[in-house]
């Protein structure tokens, strides 16, 4: 009786969707359906990614051949690239906007926004986000902030150019650089809106995960993806408001004459009235977000990888509880390590000691995660789909990039490599490339779920193998030029004959960068072509256990026709044997989806 | 050299493309299967590529260390720099050890266990013992590194000033450095940007008697073997005083005085005789000569030959000419330093010539 009643409500809910016929606008533009919003996030994120990567190619050209003229500068940079010579200010603008776009717009919104939206309701068995409306607002705020950020590129005096960390006074004083005028104002407005968007999104994710799990979906049965998105959202809620306050104070310093970050300044021939502020305060506020931000970017990628590696290894993820504990430990520690960006900022050296301690602690849960991934591969039956390859690639770059963190996190060693290319190499590998691999892995894996079609695997393989070689080709040599003492954010290194012997290495890096960027076009083609012409996807192409694959291929409002599936087990019962040990729990099928009740011939695990 | 590297990269790229061709051929043989899900052939092929990638990774690593270690900084020219270099070496060895092993396991497993139709994965969900082991090993290694690192850090940053310490102010502005020596009284006079005017370019307080014997210079000359305490100021935006050869760096912050101290141990003249530096300078001059041939052919100005000098660079983004904010550092013997100092005009003399 009760089951019937339940079904009835569900049907009614489903019908409800059909009463109001979706118009084009409610379906594709102001949609409140999490699946559509996730696609919107993905496509906006990819679009921003194209801009961000294109910028990196422009400044890599400049770094490799500083004395050559490239008409491509004139095409893309206009007056800033007149006669094929790049203006030093626009070089700084390019690195600034590249950083901003990649960190916030691609890897925060594009990665976490896409997959949190897609997977949280589908994997926990919910009809939609807790608040579809807030979710829609969150996306449109993100869209607005993207538009403003792009608009800022066309400002007369040029976009923000003080580095993505926008340290004042450089970012506060238009006299210090042209980019700190209207360009910086737009940057700050864009980021303020971005933060609002991110907060609305994060609160929604948290509430949804806590309240809307289906029957049987205890926290310890959640797929690791959801754990990662959930904890990421919490870090975002804790740290993003601090960046907001920093941005607000910077706006006040810039426009209303306050002195939060400014003191004793003589610039352009006059002394400013500002007194008593401290740029170091800004650095604290910025990195209080800035460091957790690294994990906001990385944790979703690690969550996605956990899921994909387990599915494609046909094995449970090794040490599920340790993985959850690591995520929690990383999240907690990530909020108390920000000072390692500031060892030589002039803050008290004792603080430096404390931050060295907490920073190196974070290596422990990270190491545990890396070992657990490797052990998951051990004695698996690896299905090397493109998503799986990118996940393995992620583990590789996560290790390579993470290890150099031991050097940078050590205050004594940081003194000499701080702000050199060593840092650039480190964070690009550990958070940039790793998170991008997570994004690609997620797209290849959940593309059938998002668009109902399959991506071409061969193009995926080409994409992966060229990218994986190219990415190391770019960032591995950077460690050397960093240890040679080459500072980052230099428009050209020719002002120092001492660095002349690094020019060759810079050429190598740029060639790898061009090749790697070019091969992303293969991905782009595959992505777009597959949306329209890809092979129609079966319901569960990767033979996966999680709930999203129990929903029909065709998207419907409310995700499941009829009742929401109930959950009876964790999501990692891959290759689990029956009691007799002679076959899988379900004969001939090496996976048991979460909505399958415990079988008679099966031993119950603690999950 | 560049030519060789470019060719090497292109060859690698060609190999990659060639391998891609293999993928296409494989997929063509399997015409019937267009599920776009990896089949046994894909698994085998990509598994093999995992091994090849591992080879590429190691070769690249070895090539990097073989070819590029010579561009690295020479031996540290300061007392504490030796400690940093040793700690760096230890950390590097640990990192490389872990890197080589974990990358091997990762890619080797990816090859070894590539999917086959009849292969069964082992249901292996957890093992407390294993997890304990690989939690405790990083804990021990990191604890050792942390302790060593913290001792080094504290030694470097805890500046004890004694009578013999040379106090020098580093003054940063867009886009130059200036240095101020404290003179005979070894005490810097008060200063603030509000005093900047005319020849008083760094805002020294002329009413402070301590400032009269201060000496302002555009180059940084240091006596060898004597501790130098740098007091740093900036007049406009953040800069960073980066002296890579001395393993020294500190940001300069408007509105506050930051400090860093070190003892130079090798004079500029001695460093120029260092075999590593001789080789480096030779190489650089070779590169510059090659370029000069090009420049001369185009009728442009040629580059001067290069001679080694210690450098002070700006290492915090500070505006359009950030890339060219530099000052030479010259380390000399105490006698030479004294002679040089005697030739300089004091602040008092500049004010009342």
């Amino acid at each position: 009786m009760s089951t019937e009643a339940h079904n009835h409500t569900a049907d009614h809910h489903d019908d409800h969707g059909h009463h109001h016929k979706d118009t084009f606008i409610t379906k594709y533009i102001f949609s409140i359906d999490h699946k559509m919003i996730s696609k919107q996030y993905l496509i906006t994120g990819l679009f921003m990614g194209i801009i961000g990567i294109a910028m990196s190619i422009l400044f890599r050209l400049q770094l490799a051949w500083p004395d050559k003229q490239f008409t491509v500068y004139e095409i893309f940079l206009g007056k800033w690239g007149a006669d094929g010579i790049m203006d030093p200010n626009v070089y700084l603008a390019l690195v600034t906007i590249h950083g901003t776009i990649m960190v916030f717009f691609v890897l925060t919104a594009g990665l976490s926004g896409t997959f949190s939206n897609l997977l949280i309701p589908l994997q926990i068995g919910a009809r939609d986000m807790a608040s579809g409306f807030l979710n829609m607002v969150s996306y449109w705020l993100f869209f607005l902030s993207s538009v403003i950020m792009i608009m800022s590129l066309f400002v007369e005096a040029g976009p923000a150019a003080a580095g993505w960390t926008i340290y004042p006074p450089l970012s506060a004083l238009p006299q210090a650089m042209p980019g700190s005028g209207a360009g910086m104002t737009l940057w700050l407005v864009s980021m303020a809106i971005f933060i609002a968007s991110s907060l609305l999104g994060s609160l929604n994710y948290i509430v949804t995960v806590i309240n809307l799990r289906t029957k049987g979906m205890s926290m310890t049965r959640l797929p690791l993806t959801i754990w990662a998105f959930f904890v990421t959202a919490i870090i975002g809620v804790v740290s993003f408001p601090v960046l907001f306050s920093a941005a607000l104070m910077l706006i006040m310093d810039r426009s209303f004459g306050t002195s939060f970050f400014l003191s004793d300044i003589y610039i352009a021939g006059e002394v400013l009235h500002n007194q008593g502020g401290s740029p170091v305060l800004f650095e604290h506020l910025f990195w209080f977000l800035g460091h957790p931000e690294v994990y906001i970017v990385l944790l979703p990628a690690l969550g996605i990888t956990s899921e994909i590696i387990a599915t494609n290894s046909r094995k449970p993820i090794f040490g599920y509880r340790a993985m959850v504990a690591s995520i929690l430990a990383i999240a907690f520690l990530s909020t108390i390590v920000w000072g390692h960006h500031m060892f030589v900022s002039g803050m008290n050296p004792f603080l430096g000691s404390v931050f060295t301690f907490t920073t190196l602690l974070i290596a422990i849960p990270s190491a545990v995660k890396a070992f657990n991934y490797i052990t998951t591969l051990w004695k698996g039956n690896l299905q090397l789909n493109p998503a799986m390859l990118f996940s393995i690639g992620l583990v590789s770059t996560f290790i390579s990039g993470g290890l150099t963190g031991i050097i940078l996190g050590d205050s004594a060693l940081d003194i000499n490599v701080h702000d050199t290319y060593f840092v650039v190499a480190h964070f690009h590998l550990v958070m940039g490339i790793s998170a991008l691999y997570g994004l690609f892995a997620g797209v290849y894996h959940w593309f059938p779920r998002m668009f109902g079609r399959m991506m071409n695997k061969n193009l995926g393989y080409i994409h992966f193998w060229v990218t994986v070689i190219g990415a190391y080709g770019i960032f591995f040599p950077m460690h050397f030029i960093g240890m040679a003492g080459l500072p980052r954010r230099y428009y050209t290194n020719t002002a120092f004959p001492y660095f002349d012997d690094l020019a060759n290495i810079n050429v190598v890096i740029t060639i790898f960068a061009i090749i790697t960027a070019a091969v992303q076009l293969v991905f782009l083609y595959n992505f777009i072509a597959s949306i329209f012409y890809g092979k129609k996807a079966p319901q569960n192409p990767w033979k996966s256990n999680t709930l999203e694959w129990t929903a029909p291929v065709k998207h419907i409002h409310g995700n499941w026709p009829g009742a929401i599936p109930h959950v009876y087990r964790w999501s990692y019962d891959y290759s689990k044997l029956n009691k007799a040990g002679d076959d899988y729990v379900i004969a001939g099928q090496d996976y048991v989806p979460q909505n399958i009740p415990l079988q008679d011939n099966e031993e119950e695990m603690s999950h | 050299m560049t030519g060789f590297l470019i060719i090497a990269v292109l060859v690698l790229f060609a190999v990659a493309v060639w391998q891609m061709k293999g993928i296409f051929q494989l997929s063509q043989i399997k015409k019937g299967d267009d599920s776009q899900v990896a089949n046994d052939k894909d698994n085998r092929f990509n598994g093999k590529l995992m091994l090849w990638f591992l080879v590429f990774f190691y070769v690249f690593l070895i090539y990097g260390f073989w070819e590029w270690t010579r561009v690295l900084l020479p031996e540290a020219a300061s007392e504490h720099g030796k400690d940093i270099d040793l700690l760096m070496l230890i950390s590097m060895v640990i990192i490389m050890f872990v890197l080589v092993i974990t990358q091997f396991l990762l890619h080797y497993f990816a090859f070894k266990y590539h999917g086959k139709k009849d292969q069964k994965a082992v249901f292996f969900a957890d093992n407390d013992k294993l997890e304990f082991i690989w939690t405790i090993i990083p804990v021990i290694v990191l604890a050792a590194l942390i302790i060593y690192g913290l001792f080094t850090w504290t030694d470097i940053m805890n500046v004890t000033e004694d009578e013999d310490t040379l106090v020098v102010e580093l003054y940063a502005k867009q886009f130059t450095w200036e240095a101020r020596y404290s003179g005979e009284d070894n005490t810097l006079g008060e200063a603030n940007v509000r005093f900047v005017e005319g020849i008083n370019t760094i805002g020294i307080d002329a009413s402070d008697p301590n400032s009269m014997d201060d000496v302002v210079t555009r180059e940084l000359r240091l006596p060898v073997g004597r501790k130098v305490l740098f007091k740093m100021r900036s007049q406009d935006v953040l800069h960073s005083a980066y002296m890579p050869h001395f393993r020294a760096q500190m940001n300069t912050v408007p509105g506050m005085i930051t400090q860093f101290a070190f003892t130079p141990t090798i004079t500029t003249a001695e460093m120029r005789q260092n075999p590593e530096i001789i080789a480096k300078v030779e190489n650089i001059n070779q590169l510059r000569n090659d370029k000069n041939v090009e420049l001369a052919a185009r009728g442009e100005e040629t580059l001067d030959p290069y001679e080694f000098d210690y450098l002070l660079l700006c290492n915090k983004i500070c505006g359009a000419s950030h890339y060219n904010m530099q000052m030479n550092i010259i380390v000399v013997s105490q006698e030479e330093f004294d002679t040089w100092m005697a030739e300089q005009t004091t602040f008092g003399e500049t004010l009342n010539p």
Side-chain angles (χ1 to χ4, degrees):
Chain A
M1 177 60 206
S2 69
T3 330
E4 240 170 73
H6 188 90
N7 277 345
H8 177 77
T9 357
D11 284 342
H12 176 77
H13 184 88
D14 199 37
D15 282 346
H16 193 69
H18 290 284
H19 285 311
H20 321 269
K21 215 47 192 150
D22 276 338
T23 61
F24 179 81
I25 289 184
T26 58
K27 186 166 181 205
Y28 291 105
I29 301 178
F30 294 108
S31 170
I32 55 169
D33 186 292
H34 72 100
K35 299 181 289 297
M36 182 55 68
I37 294 175
S38 105
K39 289 193 224 173
Q40 292 173 328
Y41 264 110
L42 179 62
I43 288 168
T44 317
L46 288 179
F47 180 76
M48 294 301 275
I50 295 170
I51 299 177
I53 292 176
M55 287 180 162
S56 72
I57 295 305
L58 288 179
F59 64 70
R60 274 314 319 175
L61 281 176
Q62 161 65 22
L63 284 171
W65 297 286
D67 43 8
K68 288 216 168 52
Q69 290 155 325
F70 291 98
T71 25
V72 65
Y73 297 159
E74 203 157 355
I75 296 166
F76 286 105
L77 305 172
K79 64 175 171 178
W80 306 104
D83 301 328
I85 297 167
M86 188 184 284
D87 180 89
N89 278 308
V90 89
Y91 170 83
L92 295 178
L94 285 173
V95 294
T96 301
I97 305 293
H98 165 77
T100 310
I101 284 183
M102 295 310 283
V103 169
F104 293 109
F105 292 81
V106 181
L107 295 177
T108 303
L111 174 62
S112 172
T114 303
F115 292 104
S116 296
N117 267 305
L118 178 73
L119 296 178
I120 288 178
L122 276 168
Q123 287 196 336
I124 67 172
R127 297 250 180 241
D128 205 317
M129 283 290 179
S131 167
F133 176 73
L134 277 191
N135 211 17
M136 177 190 84
V137 175
S138 164
Y139 170 73
W140 284 102
L141 286 179
F142 165 56
F143 184 81
L144 181 64
S145 75
S146 307
V147 170
I148 296 177
M149 188 57 75
I150 290 173
M151 266 167 54
S152 82
L153 303 179
F154 299 97
V155 166
E156 173 83 41
W164 80 281
T165 54
I166 56 154
Y167 284 172
L170 185 61
S171 61
L173 307 172
Q175 306 95 306
M177 71 187 329
S180 294
M184 182 52 78
T185 306
L186 287 176
W187 193 98
L188 288 166
V189 170
S190 166
M191 280 314 296
I193 296 171
F194 181 91
I195 292 166
S197 149
S198 164
L199 285 176
L200 290 184
S202 297
L203 290 172
N204 221 342
Y205 307 152
I206 294 171
V207 173
T208 309
V209 172
I210 292 178
N211 281 335
L212 295 185
R213 280 169 289 132
T214 183
K215 186 159 179 277
M217 182 64 93
S218 60
M219 291 302 272
T220 49
R221 281 179 180 165
L222 282 179
L224 285 170
T225 32
I226 302 300
W227 265 109
F229 298 145
F230 176 60
V231 174
T232 302
I234 295 174
I235 311 177
V237 170
V238 169
S239 55
F240 261 118
V242 180
L243 180 67
F244 187 77
S245 66
L248 205 63
M249 284 192 261
L250 187 53
I251 290 173
M252 309 258 274
D253 271 7
R254 288 166 49 82
S255 308
F256 305 112
T258 56
S259 303
F260 291 109
F261 308 127
L262 307 176
S263 186
D264 293 328
I265 291 170
Y266 177 93
I267 196 161
E270 60 175 337
V271 175
L272 303 186
H273 72 276
N274 305 78
Q275 186 68 46
S278 168
V280 178
L281 170 64
F282 180 88
E283 294 178 41
H284 280 296
L285 293 174
F286 181 87
W287 287 112
F288 189 88
L289 160 89
H291 197 81
E293 172 64 25
V294 171
Y295 291 94
I296 292 174
V297 162
L298 193 60
L299 281 181
L302 291 174
I304 286 170
T305 301
S306 308
E307 180 61 30
I308 293 174
I309 287 192
T311 303
N312 286 293
S313 297
R314 316 309 296 160
K315 271 186 71 186
I317 190 82
F318 182 78
Y320 174 85
R321 277 158 199 275
M323 292 299 250
V324 173
S326 301
I327 291 177
L328 293 171
I330 288 175
F332 171 70
L333 288 172
S334 78
T335 58
I336 52 167
V337 298
W338 77 89
H340 66 225
H341 299 268
M342 301 168 57
F343 287 139
V344 295
S345 67
M347 78 176 179
N348 188 314
F350 173 70
L351 267 179
S353 309
V354 176
F355 283 120
T356 298
F357 180 69
T358 53
T359 301
L360 294 197
L361 280 187
I362 221 169
I364 296 165
S366 309
V368 169
K369 283 191 93 70
F371 289 133
N372 283 3
Y373 285 131
I374 294 176
T375 315
T376 306
L377 297 184
W378 180 70
K379 293 205 171 175
N381 185 25
L382 311 187
Q383 305 303 311
L384 296 173
N385 289 301
M388 178 65 164
L389 295 180
F390 273 106
S391 300
I392 295 172
L394 182 152
V395 178
S396 172
T397 51
F398 180 61
I399 294 173
S400 315
L403 281 170
T404 49
I406 293 175
I407 287 173
L408 290 161
D410 196 328
S411 49
L413 296 179
D414 182 66
I415 293 172
N416 214 48
V417 280
H418 182 85
D419 260 338
T420 64
Y421 273 90
F422 193 83
V423 180
V424 180
H426 159 74
F427 74 76
H428 272 95
L429 277 179
V430 79
M431 72 172 272
I433 297 298
S434 296
L436 268 179
Y437 285 0
L439 176 68
F440 288 136
V443 171
Y444 281 109
H445 193 75
W446 280 289
F447 191 87
R449 186 72 294 181
M450 293 181 107
F451 296 99
R453 290 174 187 271
M454 307 292 287
M455 284 179 83
N456 183 304
K457 66 180 173 187
N458 290 328
L459 292 177
Y461 292 143
I462 293 174
H463 177 214
F464 172 74
W465 286 110
V466 179
T467 304
V468 80
I469 290 180
Y472 271 119
I474 298 166
F475 296 111
F476 176 65
M478 271 194 198
H479 293 98
F480 289 92
I481 57 176
M483 285 192 290
L486 186 67
R488 64 195 283 207
R489 292 169 177 154
Y490 269 18
Y491 161 70
T492 167
N493 309 316
T494 47
F496 292 89
Y498 180 77
F499 294 134
D500 274 3
D501 54 353
L502 306 181
N504 293 334
I505 308 181
N506 265 321
V507 171
V508 173
I509 294 173
T510 298
I511 290 173
F512 273 117
I514 293 170
I515 293 173
T516 314
V519 84
Q520 305 314 308
L521 296 174
V522 173
F523 167 77
L524 216 58
Y525 167 78
N526 195 0
F527 182 80
I528 296 169
S530 299
I531 289 179
F532 298 105
Y533 308 111
K535 187 186 142 40
K536 284 255 190 306
Q539 191 179 22
N540 189 358
W542 319 117
K543 302 192 172 64
S544 186
N545 283 342
T546 37
L547 285 185
E548 76 271 29
W549 304 105
T550 63
V553 176
K554 187 173 161 26
H555 287 180
I556 57 167
H557 185 58
N559 293 340
W560 287 272
I564 297 178
H566 289 180
V567 164
Y568 300 93
R569 56 180 73 241
W570 72 336
S571 59
Y572 296 106
D573 276 340
Y574 292 105
S575 302
K576 188 180 178 188
L577 297 178
N578 59 22
K579 271 183 189 158
D582 54 359
D583 202 345
Y584 298 120
V585 169
I586 300 173
Q589 177 180 321
D590 66 351
Y591 64 107
V592 194
Q594 282 190 284
N595 61 337
I596 305 290
L598 202 68
Q599 305 291 298
D600 293 337
N601 63 353
E602 180 184 6
E603 210 176 323
E604 194 175 358
M605 312 280 292
S606 52
H607 305 289
Chain B
M1 194 58 210
T2 320
F4 171 70
L5 285 171
I6 294 175
I7 289 167
V9 170
L10 288 178
V11 166
L12 273 172
F13 185 61
V15 169
V17 171
W18 176 71
Q19 285 174 328
M20 296 311 149
K21 208 181 104 225
I23 298 183
F24 274 128
Q25 280 171 344
L26 272 173
S27 62
Q28 271 161 7
I29 298 164
K30 265 294 245 204
K31 267 230 165 71
D33 174 23
D34 67 338
S35 66
Q36 302 302 338
V37 178
N39 54 37
D40 279 8
K41 282 208 166 94
D42 297 320
N43 289 337
R44 193 165 57 239
F45 189 75
N46 285 292
K48 269 190 201 155
L49 282 184
M50 280 286 170
L51 267 197
W52 279 109
F53 176 73
L54 192 64
V55 171
F56 161 80
F57 187 84
Y58 286 153
V59 168
F60 201 33
L61 207 64
I62 294 165
Y63 177 84
F65 278 100
W66 182 262
E67 194 55 38
W68 293 328
T69 35
R70 61 198 168 94
V71 306
L72 302 188
L73 291 165
E75 63 170 311
S78 63
E79 247 167 38
H80 77 273
K82 291 180 181 59
D83 300 332
I84 289 187
D85 284 0
L86 181 62
L87 179 56
M88 183 76 162
L89 182 68
I90 295 172
S91 306
M92 248 339 175
V93 168
I94 294 174
I95 286 173
M96 281 303 145
F97 178 74
V98 178
L99 183 75
V100 167
I101 291 185
T102 48
Q103 297 287 355
F104 172 78
L105 291 178
L106 179 71
H107 294 98
Y108 179 70
F109 286 171
F111 159 73
K112 174 101 194 283
Y113 301 107
H114 68 81
K116 298 177 200 89
K117 213 175 182 73
D118 304 319
Q119 181 171 284
K120 277 189 178 177
V122 174
F123 187 87
F124 183 47
D126 43 26
N127 181 322
D128 292 345
K129 207 185 210 169
L130 265 180
E131 286 179 70
F132 177 75
I133 291 173
W134 62 53
T135 310
I136 204 72
I137 291 177
V139 168
I140 295 169
V141 174
L142 286 167
L145 282 178
I146 290 173
I147 292 169
Y148 190 1
L150 287 184
F151 274 111
T152 316
W153 169 251
T154 319
D155 280 350
I156 297 168
M157 301 308 282
N158 270 357
V159 184
T160 45
E161 206 178 328
D162 53 43
E163 285 164 20
D164 196 39
T165 309
L166 176 69
V167 181
V168 180
E169 178 179 78
L170 276 179
Y171 187 81
K173 60 178 149 186
Q174 287 180 329
F175 299 97
T176 49
W177 296 96
E178 286 183 57
R180 175 161 65 121
Y181 292 84
S182 46
E184 274 165 23
D185 59 2
N186 209 16
T187 311
L188 290 164
E190 295 290 323
N192 186 287
V193 289
R194 286 173 175 74
F195 299 114
V196 173
E197 199 181 10
I199 48 166
N200 188 359
T201 51
I202 66 171
I204 303 171
D205 182 356
S207 65
D208 183 352
N210 287 333
S211 64
M212 282 307 134
D213 62 346
D214 289 358
V215 170
V216 180
T217 63
R218 286 303 190 93
E219 68 171 25
L220 191 55
R221 223 168 253 252
L222 304 173
V224 73
R226 185 168 160 200
K227 184 187 264 180
V228 191
L229 172 60
F230 291 99
K231 300 272 185 185
M232 304 179 186
R233 289 197 298 139
S234 165
Q235 75 171 27
D236 38 35
V237 300
L238 291 177
H239 301 274
S240 187
Y242 180 38
M243 297 168 260
H245 301 101
F246 303 98
R247 315 293 187 257
Q249 177 164 211
M250 181 54 67
N251 290 2
T252 67
V253 184
M256 84 190 237
I257 296 172
T258 54
Q259 60 176 23
F260 197 98
F262 66 79
T263 312
T265 51
I266 304 174
T267 64
T268 300
E270 283 164 358
M271 195 52 129
R272 283 178 182 165
Q273 298 309 313
N274 177 312
E276 275 179 73
I277 288 295
I278 291 175
K280 189 180 174 88
V281 169
E282 231 167 63
N283 181 29
I284 288 174
N285 277 325
Q286 186 63 46
L287 292 169
R288 289 170 84 80
N289 282 339
D290 293 348
K291 203 166 190 185
N292 279 341
V293 176
E294 258 176 69
L295 289 173
R298 275 184 281 152
E300 285 172 38
E301 209 177 322
T302 54
L303 306 167
D304 298 328
Y306 168 69
E307 188 170 34
F308 173 81
D309 260 314
Y310 293 124
L311 290 169
L312 167 63
L313 308 92
C314 178
N315 197 13
K316 184 63 77 188
I317 181 171
C318 66
S321 297
H322 168 54
Y323 68 92
N324 194 16
M325 180 167 163
Q326 53 173 306
M327 179 155 79
N328 276 346
I329 305 174
I330 301 160
V331 179
V332 293
S333 68
Q334 183 68 46
E335 298 80 59
E336 287 170 286
F337 178 75
D338 293 337
T339 329
W340 174 76
M341 188 47 85
E343 292 165 4
Q344 307 300 314
T345 39
T346 63
F347 180 61
E349 289 163 0
T350 349
L351 283 187
N352 316 300

